């Protein structure tokens, strides 16, 4: 077996790459990676280790370099002090990492051919990742994001010097209804009444919801609305989305992306971007005009429509992501822990940096609400 690392996903045919990706792993597919790479998000640089056995691809993954400001949510005097220090020390509290995963979306990006020797291949991927990190002068490597059922294999990273840490918890909902009305009636009366009041308020304002796969036509408006949410964020804030991001999704993702637009007349007052995987619907980004949101409950109505779409398209579940978990739990989602593995190339700092990173990442799962009567 040997490892060959591509510097662009365009250096391999989509059919050859996708052959081993498997079901319900949209973020590992060639078309998704091509869209993300073309969007020039932050300072990301991409690498694609491919493991060959002879001429046969038996595994591959996506790596990316990114800089993260650890003080993203600092305010007031603290932010002033940090900005002052950065005038002298430009990289103060800016963590440069090489990550095995993908920007924008959650999930692990390592794909194996059926029957492959996964522990041996994982070791090869780690060696190649650390080699690239050394070439880049990057001290921190991060493998992300893993669910509990994936830990049996990936806990092997701990034997290679990695520290298992948590990411922000995500929320997922199993879709178990045939119609939106069944979902609505299954909610406990308090949550159902709250939902119906929000829908009524939205409709009474003469607002409407429109679903379209023509994402690129609205790229500039979506970017502005998304930036409103980004600027209000208090939980997670890293990737900056340019208009190119929305344009590339439509150009490369072959119908796997759509957008729900909230409209008042011709004015777009909010949106949710959706990724359509084989069995999972992923509301990936939201954008809001906060003035209208307060009056019309735009945010909630966008998510109610997301649930309706998941039901109507017979999805198995919805991946709601890692932010604003409380309202999603009240809609019926369940909080889920995500795991990551981090390593600093300096053995002493490897005992400090992962712990510091984990301390700055909230991990407490929100209390599960009993959303449903049954």
């Amino acid at each position: 077996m040997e490892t060959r690392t591509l510097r662009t996903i365009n250096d391999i045919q989509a059919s050859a790459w996708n052959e081993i990706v498997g079901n319900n792993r949209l973020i590992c597919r060639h078309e998704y990676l091509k869209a993300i790479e073309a969007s020039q998000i932050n300072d990301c640089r991409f690498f694609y280790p491919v493991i060959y056995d002879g001429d046969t691809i038996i595994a591959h993954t996506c790596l990316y370099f990114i800089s993260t400001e650890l003080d993203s949510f600092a305010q007031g005097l603290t932010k002033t002090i940090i900005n002052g220090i950065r005038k002298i020390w430009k990289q103060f509290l800016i963590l440069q990492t090489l990550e095995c995963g993908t920007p924008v979306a959650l999930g692990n990006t390592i794909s194996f051919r059926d029957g492959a020797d996964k522990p041996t291949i994982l070791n090869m991927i780690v060696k190649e990742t650390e080699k690239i990190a050394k070439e880049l002068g990057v001290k921190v490597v991060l493998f992300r994001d893993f669910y509990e059922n994936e830990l049996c294999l990936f806990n092997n990273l701990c034997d290679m010097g990695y520290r298992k840490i948590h990411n922000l918890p995500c929320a997922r909902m199993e879709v178990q209804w045939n119609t939106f009305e069944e979902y609505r009636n299954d909610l406990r009366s308090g949550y159902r009444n709250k939902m119906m009041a929000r829908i009524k308020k939205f409709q009474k304002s003469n607002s409407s919801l429109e679903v379209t796969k023509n994402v690129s036509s609205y790229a500039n408006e979506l970017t502005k609305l998304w930036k409103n949410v980004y600027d209000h964020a208090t939980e997670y804030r890293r990737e900056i989305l340019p208009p190119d991001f929305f344009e590339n999704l439509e150009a490369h993702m072959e119908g796997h992306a759509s957008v729900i637009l909230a409209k008042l007349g011709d004015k777009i007052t909010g949106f949710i971007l959706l990724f359509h995987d084989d069995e999972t619907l992923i509301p990936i980004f939201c954008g809001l005009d906060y003035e209208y949101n307060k009056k019309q409950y735009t945010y909630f109505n966008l998510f109610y429509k997301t649930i309706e779409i998941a039901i109507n398209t017979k999805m198995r579940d919805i991946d709601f992501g890692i932010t604003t978990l409380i309202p999603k739990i009240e809609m019926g989602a369940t909080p889920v822990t995500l795991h990551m593995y981090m390593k600093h190339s300096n053995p002493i700092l490897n005992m400090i940096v992962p712990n510091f990173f984990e301390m700055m990442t909230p991990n407490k799962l929100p209390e599960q609400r009993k959303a449903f009567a049954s």
Side-chain angles (χ1 to χ4, degrees), residues 198 201-202 205 290-298:
R198 289 166 176 162
K201 191 80 176 262
F202 183 80
S205 71
Y290 280 92
E291 179 182 351
Y292 290 93
N293 183 56
K294 291 178 182 178
K295 301 174 183 176
Q296 303 166 2
Y297 295 104
T298 311

Side-chain angles (χ1 to χ4, degrees), residues 36-54:
I36 297 301
E37 181 184 316
S39 298
Q40 299 183 16
I41 296 169
N42 293 39
D43 58 348
C44 290
R45 282 179 276 167
F46 294 87
F47 308 87
Y48 305 93
V50 183
I51 312 297
Y52 285 85
D53 186 353

Side-chain angles (χ1 to χ4, degrees), residues 40-290:
Q40 299 183 16
I41 296 169
N42 293 39
D43 58 348
C44 290
R45 282 179 276 167
F46 294 87
F47 308 87
Y48 305 93
V50 183
I51 312 297
Y52 285 85
D53 186 353
D55 293 327
T56 302
I57 296 174
I58 57 172
H60 55 56
T61 192
C62 171
L63 314 174
Y64 67 102
F65 165 90
I66 190 170
S67 300
T68 304
E69 294 184 2
L70 298 179
D71 61 307
S72 293
F73 303 117
Q75 298 177 354
L77 180 60
T78 302
K79 188 66 173 178
T80 300
I81 292 172
I82 291 171
N83 288 339
I85 294 174
R86 282 209 179 118
K87 290 179 180 178
I88 303 169
W89 181 9
K90 296 188 183 298
Q91 295 300 311
F92 180 66
L93 286 183
I94 296 178
L95 183 67
Q96 293 185 327
T97 55
L98 182 63
E99 304 188 8
C100 183
T102 172
V104 178
L106 296 171
N108 110 66
T109 58
I110 302 177
S111 299
F112 299 95
R113 184 176 291 276
D114 289 345
D117 182 354
K118 293 182 180 180
T120 299
I121 293 170
L122 179 61
N123 187 61
M124 294 176 67
I125 289 172
V126 170
K127 287 183 177 178
E128 183 68 9
T129 302
E130 293 179 359
K131 174 186 171 185
I132 295 169
K134 188 174 182 180
E135 292 172 356
L136 295 172
V138 172
K139 305 296 183 183
V140 177
V141 172
L142 185 66
F143 283 78
R144 29 170 303 242
D145 304 287
F146 304 96
Y147 293 100
E148 292 286 341
N149 64 350
E150 298 176 294
L151 299 186
C152 182
L153 170 63
F154 292 102
N155 274 340
N156 288 326
L157 290 165
C158 297
D159 296 330
M160 304 177 208
Y162 287 79
R163 307 286 297 276
K164 185 167 74 172
I165 59 177
H166 61 260
N167 196 350
L168 292 167
C170 70
R172 298 187 75 104
M173 177 191 285
E174 182 181 351
V175 177
Q176 48 192 327
W177 310 276
N178 294 313
T179 65
F180 186 76
E181 288 70 27
E182 283 186 18
Y183 161 76
R184 179 193 64 196
N185 294 335
D186 199 20
L187 287 169
R188 295 177 69 185
S189 60
Y191 294 121
R192 182 172 62 251
N193 292 339
K194 190 182 293 186
M195 181 184 77
M196 296 310 297
R198 289 166 176 162
I199 292 174
K200 185 176 180 180
K201 191 80 176 262
F202 183 80
Q203 293 174 342
K204 194 174 181 180
S205 71
N206 293 320
S207 293
S208 61
L209 296 171
E210 175 186 327
V211 183
T212 179
K213 292 187 176 180
N214 187 13
V215 181
S216 62
S217 295
Y218 303 98
N220 290 326
E221 294 166 281
L222 300 184
T223 303
K224 291 176 183 177
L225 290 168
W226 167 82
K227 189 62 166 55
N228 288 343
V229 174
Y230 179 88
D231 290 339
H232 279 77
T234 59
E235 296 173 283
Y236 177 87
R237 189 166 62 192
R238 185 164 72 155
E239 295 94 349
I240 305 292
L241 304 183
D244 284 356
F245 169 73
F246 297 99
E247 294 168 358
N248 282 313
L249 293 181
E250 182 177 340
H252 300 302
M253 283 186 62
E254 301 177 358
H256 286 287
S258 68
V259 64
I260 307 172
L261 302 173
K263 286 186 165 184
L264 183 60
D266 293 330
K267 182 178 177 60
I268 299 174
T269 60
F271 78 89
I272 278 186
L273 178 67
L274 302 177
F275 285 171
H276 300 257
D277 212 336
D278 296 309
E279 298 174 311
T280 301
L281 187 63
I282 308 167
I284 194 74
F285 284 113
C286 175
L288 295 169
D289 184 319
Y290 280 92

